[in-house]
Amino acid sequence: MIKSKDALDRLTPFGWRGGVAIVLLISIVSFVAAGYFTVYWRNADMDFMVIYNALAMNDGGAQAFFDHPAYLTILSVKAWFAGLHRLGLLDAWTLSAIPPASDRTAFDAAMTSAVHAGRVAALLTASGILIAFAALARRLVSDWRIAMLAVTAFAFSGGVQMHLRILRSEMIAASFCILALMLLIIAARRAGPARPLVVGLAALLCMLGLTNKVHAILLIAAIPVLLLPFGCETSASVAFWRTSRAWAAVLAAAVLAIIAAVAAWPLLATGLAPANASAAGLKPLLLGRFGVYQVALLGVIAACMVLYARLWRVSAAETIAALLMTVAGASLGLLSLDLSYDLNDVVVVLNPLEKMITYVDAPEAAGSISGAIGLLLSGVLGVIRRYTFILQSSARPTVFLTWLIIPGIAVAIRRGERQTALQATLLMLAAIGIDTLGVRRGLKVEYFVFTDPLIIIAGMILLDRLIDLRLSRFAYPIGATLLVLHVAISQAEPVKMALKRQGPETICEWNGYYLPRLALPWCAPSGPSRT
């Protein structure tokens, strides 16, 4: 039997559906082997914080965690616990159902069942996002084999492999914005009568992402610029948007946008009110006023949409409809905060950069121009060191893709594929920029989920245009080596966490603040707690 010379055939032997199924299966096996059965207090940050809030809210209490603010994560775990309880599968679904710390055996059993249930919720969330990523990746490129490689790279990126076994806010926040970007790239390349609806859906996803983690604002700000070079000859408006009927659709979009914006206005006014923001410990970032950069960002989004329309022959009617659907989608996403209203959530979500600046390891330096420049330069240096992997290793296999993407951009330029090179370059610059800011928080494994997909999408786009490289005699060994390294390194952090010998005592440093009504058996009583 003669082996195929096509590297893509050899790297994707299970086909499309079989490949996706294998990726999910390996992830589940990894989850069970190094995740599900790990002692319940091992990943307490943020497992305990999310689970505590879900338990307290199921008991009729209020949300107590608002740091960034994990809104959808907490609500989803709360609903998951309630659903499992109704099915008779979980007794420890409320705070009052957790035995007192004095009964260590009963406490451990109850918390173990709650944490196990929470980890299953994390696995289901990551699996759903992976399937959505696969569906969009399949439409993003012309060859399903490239999409399959991208799905594998995404599934076994360091961030996703960590998030499918722990409860954190980044997975939903980052993935919703990445899915929005992929939707918009597809829509930017292929015009259709429903394209403004896709834009509205993307805006909804971005806002939902922001409600879960304020760091999503960085991706949201990058998306309008990233989309500009993705137009092509099929981007021009279809016939419908150049007829008189198009203005009826614009009118309908205007009505929807007005209704949604009016409904969301009280949330906007409340979140941007100086008294409320100041009471939450936030300081205005620009010009001594809250809301300045938020308005500027809206202007950038609108300007990029108009510029895209001019570059790629999108009609005025479709452009206006898309702008209106952006307003409608973002407003509907913001209205999700009314599902379980709390003033703190609203303030944090609507002042994301003010909240992020409180996380910086040197906030006093970030407050001056010279200090901010110094932090930025040190952040860039930190990213470069990490991307080399040699100067600073990490559980981030996606950095190996950059070793191919950067030369790939140079090859694309030499071949005259300048638009493709520009697309990949902007995606890489966005990843580097967001990672630069993440360095100030140590650029932990959990943060990789914000930028690894940008790197993967850049690789997809390049390979789709440089498809003949698959026939190179070096293509298969390089691709096979990368796949093996990718899967192996992605398991490093989960295995390290599972084998960790450190005890739970470090939780005592913050449990009194984040778990005010839950006493832990290994911590001395401090402040108000439930006994």
Side-chain angles (χ1 to χ4, degrees):
M1 183 176 178
I2 300 176
K3 290 184 178 180
S4 171
K5 293 183 178 180
D6 192 325
L8 293 182
D9 282 339
R10 299 173 68 184
L11 293 171
T12 55
F14 301 105
W16 173 248
R17 292 182 180 178
V20 174
I22 290 293
V23 165
L24 285 171
L25 178 61
I26 295 175
S27 295
I28 292 171
V29 170
S30 172
F31 166 78
V32 173
Y36 181 76
F37 293 107
T38 302
V39 62
Y40 73 91
W41 42 257
R42 174 61 68 210
N43 304 321
D45 180 19
M46 298 176 40
D47 279 1
F48 273 20
M49 300 175 192
V50 171
I51 289 173
Y52 172 84
N53 279 269
L55 296 173
M57 293 174 76
N58 277 334
D59 232 356
Q63 181 179 336
F65 182 89
F66 306 101
D67 277 14
H68 41 71
Y71 177 72
L72 295 179
T73 300
I74 291 171
L75 287 188
S76 62
V77 173
K78 170 182 176 291
W80 174 246
F81 281 5
L84 290 177
H85 179 71
R86 283 193 293 270
L87 295 173
L89 299 175
L90 182 66
D91 292 328
W93 73 292
T94 65
L95 199 57
S96 58
I98 304 295
S102 57
D103 188 348
R104 178 67 183 265
T105 301
F107 179 91
D108 285 349
M111 283 300 294
T112 295
S113 65
V115 171
H116 281 179
R119 289 174 181 170
V120 172
L123 173 67
L124 293 175
T125 299
S127 298
I129 289 171
L130 175 60
I131 292 171
F133 181 92
L136 293 177
R138 181 69 184 84
R139 297 194 61 191
L140 199 60
V141 289
S142 59
D143 193 319
W144 68 266
R145 298 171 299 175
I146 297 174
M148 187 65 248
L149 293 176
V151 170
T152 305
F154 177 71
F156 294 102
S157 59
V160 171
Q161 281 297 303
M162 279 300 294
H163 280 287
L164 66 81
R165 68 197 80 219
I166 62 176
L167 291 167
R168 289 187 63 96
S169 56
E170 291 90 354
M171 188 67 190
I172 290 176
S175 298
F176 278 20
C177 292
I178 291 297
L179 294 176
L181 172 62
M182 296 173 76
L183 276 171
L184 290 171
I185 291 175
I186 294 168
R189 289 171 163 180
R190 304 183 184 97
R195 185 160 57 176
L197 292 177
V198 176
V199 175
L201 175 59
L204 171 64
L205 286 171
C206 285
M207 183 55 74
L208 290 175
L210 186 61
T211 65
N212 214 51
K213 180 128 185 159
V214 292
H215 295 63
I217 191 66
L218 303 176
L219 270 175
I220 293 171
I223 286 174
V225 177
L226 292 177
L227 289 170
L228 288 175
F230 278 97
C232 57
E233 63 275 3
T234 58
S235 299
S237 294
V238 296
F240 170 82
W241 289 107
R242 300 188 184 279
T243 65
S244 58
R245 291 180 300 166
W247 294 102
V250 171
L251 179 60
V255 171
L256 180 59
I258 290 171
I259 293 173
V262 169
W265 178 254
L267 292 171
L268 281 167
T270 299
L272 295 176
N276 293 333
S278 297
L282 304 181
K283 297 180 180 179
L285 191 65
L286 292 175
L287 305 179
R289 300 184 63 180
F290 291 100
V292 174
Y293 69 85
Q294 293 89 328
V295 173
L297 177 58
L298 292 177
V300 169
I301 293 172
C304 286
M305 292 178 72
V306 172
L307 179 57
Y308 175 89
R310 292 292 302 273
L311 288 173
W312 306 109
R313 296 178 293 116
V314 179
S315 71
E318 185 179 3
T319 302
I320 295 171
L323 285 165
L324 291 169
M325 291 307 299
T326 300
V327 173
S331 298
L332 289 174
L334 186 61
L335 282 170
S336 67
L337 293 175
D338 279 335
L339 293 174
S340 180
Y341 179 83
D342 192 291
L343 173 61
N344 293 287
D345 280 325
V346 179
V347 171
V348 169
V349 169
L350 289 174
N351 298 279
L353 294 184
E354 286 86 351
K355 186 63 181 178
M356 285 178 65
I357 204 72
T358 64
Y359 300 141
V360 175
D361 54 7
E364 69 285 348
S368 65
I369 294 178
S370 59
I373 292 175
L375 290 176
L376 181 63
L377 292 176
S378 65
V380 171
L381 180 61
V383 169
I384 293 173
R385 288 170 58 86
R386 287 168 171 82
Y387 276 27
T388 65
F389 192 82
I390 297 171
L391 296 176
Q392 185 168 345
S393 62
S394 69
R396 188 181 191 181
T398 312
V399 298
F400 295 123
L401 294 181
T402 65
W403 297 4
L404 297 180
I405 290 172
I406 294 175
I409 292 173
V411 171
I413 293 174
R414 287 185 59 188
R415 292 189 177 186
E417 297 281 357
R418 298 185 182 278
Q419 186 175 357
T420 301
L422 177 59
Q423 293 166 354
T425 299
L426 287 180
L427 288 164
M428 288 299 300
L429 288 176
I432 292 170
I434 294 172
D435 278 344
T436 295
L437 298 176
V439 167
R440 304 322 316 169
R441 288 278 291 166
L443 199 56
K444 296 182 288 187
V445 174
E446 295 85 357
Y447 292 169
F448 298 164
V449 74
F450 280 100
T451 50
D452 277 352
L454 297 176
I455 298 171
I456 293 167
I457 293 172
M460 290 173 65
I461 291 167
L462 280 171
L463 187 55
D464 197 34
R465 297 298 297 178
L466 306 176
I467 192 66
D468 60 294
L469 294 179
R470 76 193 191 281
L471 300 177
S472 167
R473 63 192 181 102
F474 299 108
Y476 177 72
I478 291 175
T481 301
L482 281 177
L483 280 177
V484 172
L485 285 174
H486 209 92
V487 175
I489 293 176
S490 73
Q491 302 306 301
E493 198 66 22
V495 170
K496 175 184 174 183
M497 185 67 69
L499 298 178
K500 196 173 182 181
R501 295 293 179 233
Q502 183 179 353
E505 291 77 17
T506 56
I507 301 171
C508 302
E509 299 173 3
W510 48 259
N511 75 298
Y513 179 78
Y514 287 109
L515 319 174
R517 295 171 53 208
L518 183 67
L520 301 177
W522 55 83
C523 295
S526 59
S529 63
R530 195 181 65 80
T531 59

